[in-house]
Amino acid sequence: MSGGALLADAPRPAATEQPTEAEWAAAVTAITQLPADGRILLICHVNPDGDALGSMLGFGLGLRRLGVRQLQATFPGRPEVPEPFREMPGLDLLVPATEADPDPDLVICFDVAAVSRLGDLADRLDRAGASVVLDHHASNTRFGGIHLVDPDAAATSVVVEKLLVRLGVPLDQGIAECLYVALATDTGSFRFDMTTPAVHEMAARLLATGIRPGEISRRIFDTRPFGAVRLYGDVLGRTQLEPLEAGGHGLVWTYATLADLARHEQRPYTLEPLIDSVRCTAEADVSCVLKQVAEGEWAVSMRSKGAMDVSRVAVALGGGGHRLAAGFTAYGSAPEVIEAIRAELRRDGVELDRGGAEAAGTTSDLQDQE
């Protein structure tokens, strides 16, 4: 079994500082100094979630307000928008990765911590005249040209709003709905530790445009096909609790196969919220869900309630993320993947005993990094 990241994503020192004024100014210049016919390509990560799509589409709508016309948005892999996000504004900006501009003048990446998350679109970074990376993952490898990476931000949409302000783009309902979806999903509907006063202040600015939070929340969080409900029952029914793992803090895990999806006629994205049903287990600090992508290939989601640093586990296995939420791509059988996770948690547990990890309860959001 091995991680799925490219060698170019070998761990580097994590970003610990907010973007400098020079970096903000460089990003503004890269956008505003493009010629009238300049081509901009927006890219978010494979298997996009609410923050990735919402941040990208919200910024794309902002660029339209600036008068940008040569504009595309895309993401690697299957050109399929998850059902909860299919009513978001700005979807007309999307093109399949196979139709994305091969030689853009400017590439802007959203919610992408490592170049491997760009898949077949990674070559656009080399071909573009300039590139800007907007992200909030502490494990960001600082790929690309201009870095707007803020590990203290609750979502990438927080970074996006700050750049829109510097570009002089006012919020409208379309931009606000996209950014609200992004902010709400990455804060767990404002339940996670990174839900600061500043997060609520941003939400208030977005709501002031007239968007309808109840309707958005029902669509994003509270609507699932019946087949997905039955699928969750099957997958949760095989959940395993290992109270002695993770340094005695407990590990709970389960897995979902392609056969599970086929049996209930569901698309892979329906499994994304499953980790929330697993992580509520009282007896375990660490929760883990394996989602089969292909024969012998798994997208792994991990969560911690604070005692363990799951980003260290994910980075060691080829992925990344945050202290309380991370993920990676793994190869092998489900038991082999889980055993590799156990081994890293045991190593991390030893370091915790020696005082090498942060104190439990450190604030972080729960954005996934599969």
Side-chain angles (χ1 to χ4, degrees):
M1 188 211 68
S2 63
L6 300 178
L7 291 177
D9 294 336
R12 304 178 191 176
T16 58
E17 299 179 354
Q18 296 181 343
T20 66
E21 285 304 320
E23 288 172 322
W24 286 114
V28 169
T29 298
I31 294 168
T32 58
Q33 296 303 308
L34 279 179
D37 60 348
R39 304 187 310 280
I40 298 180
L41 180 63
L42 312 180
I43 312 176
C44 68
H45 61 68
V46 64
N47 301 323
D49 55 13
D51 191 24
L53 274 175
S55 295
M56 179 173 70
L57 296 179
F59 194 75
L61 292 173
L63 290 178
R64 273 187 174 169
R65 293 203 66 169
L66 281 177
V68 176
R69 292 292 175 262
Q70 300 291 329
L71 179 64
Q72 292 180 329
T74 191
F75 53 85
R78 182 191 293 269
E80 180 179 25
V81 175
E83 183 68 34
F85 308 127
R86 290 182 184 174
E87 295 184 30
M88 278 206 304
L91 289 176
D92 60 301
L93 291 168
L94 286 175
V95 299
T98 54
E99 298 177 15
D101 191 331
D103 296 293
D105 297 296
L106 174 64
V107 167
I108 308 178
C109 299
F110 299 84
D111 206 43
V112 179
V115 72
S116 64
R117 302 277 284 155
L118 296 175
D120 292 340
L121 292 165
D123 64 346
R124 303 309 196 275
L125 289 171
D126 297 326
R127 297 177 182 177
S131 62
V132 182
V133 176
L134 286 76
D135 189 30
H136 73 129
H137 292 95
S139 61
N140 188 285
T141 59
R142 297 305 181 105
F143 68 95
I146 301 166
H147 306 117
L148 301 181
V149 179
D150 184 357
D152 293 329
T156 295
S157 59
V158 173
V159 183
V160 167
E161 192 208 20
K162 291 179 179 180
L163 184 53
L164 289 174
V165 169
R166 285 170 168 78
L167 288 167
V169 178
L171 292 173
D172 59 24
Q173 286 192 2
I175 296 172
E177 180 169 338
C178 290
L179 298 188
Y180 187 86
V181 167
L183 190 63
T185 52
D186 254 28
T187 59
S189 197
F190 308 99
R191 293 180 293 115
F192 297 158
D193 284 345
M194 284 295 280
T195 306
T196 62
V199 166
H200 282 297
E201 290 165 2
M202 176 176 169
R205 291 191 294 274
L206 301 176
L207 293 173
T209 65
I211 60 174
R212 303 177 64 180
E215 179 180 317
I216 294 170
S217 294
R218 281 190 294 274
R219 189 169 71 236
I220 301 302
F221 298 110
D222 300 329
T223 302
R224 296 287 180 271
F226 182 65
V229 176
R230 298 292 299 272
L231 170 64
Y232 276 35
D234 286 357
V235 177
L236 290 173
R238 63 173 72 112
T239 304
Q240 299 291 314
L241 174 64
E242 301 180 11
L244 299 181
E245 294 295 341
H249 298 287
L251 166 68
V252 61
W253 61 274
T254 190
Y255 64 93
T257 66
L258 293 176
D260 293 327
L261 289 167
R263 184 168 62 255
H264 294 287
E265 299 181 330
Q266 295 302 300
R267 302 296 306 149
Y269 63 75
T270 61
L271 291 169
E272 293 308 310
L274 182 63
I275 188 69
D276 293 323
S277 298
V278 177
R279 73 180 183 87
C280 67
T281 303
E283 297 88 347
D285 177 74
V286 176
S287 53
C288 181
V289 173
L290 280 61
K291 295 162 287 188
Q292 189 176 27
V293 176
E295 185 65 31
E297 180 178 353
W298 306 83
V300 182
S301 302
M302 299 188 69
R303 298 287 187 269
S304 169
K305 294 175 183 174
M308 305 296 287
D309 182 352
V310 292
S311 72
R312 295 170 65 178
V313 176
V315 168
L317 296 176
H322 301 280
R323 186 175 183 277
L324 302 186
F328 60 98
T329 299
Y331 299 91
S333 67
E336 289 172 335
V337 175
I338 288 297
E339 183 52 39
I341 292 170
R342 289 192 194 102
E344 291 301 329
L345 286 170
R346 290 165 188 162
R347 184 176 296 111
D348 201 32
V350 170
E351 292 176 0
L352 274 168
D353 291 339
R354 293 173 179 168
E358 301 170 86
T362 301
T363 57
S364 176
D365 73 339
L366 294 184
Q367 165 63 29
D368 212 346
Q369 174 63 21
E370 290 91 62

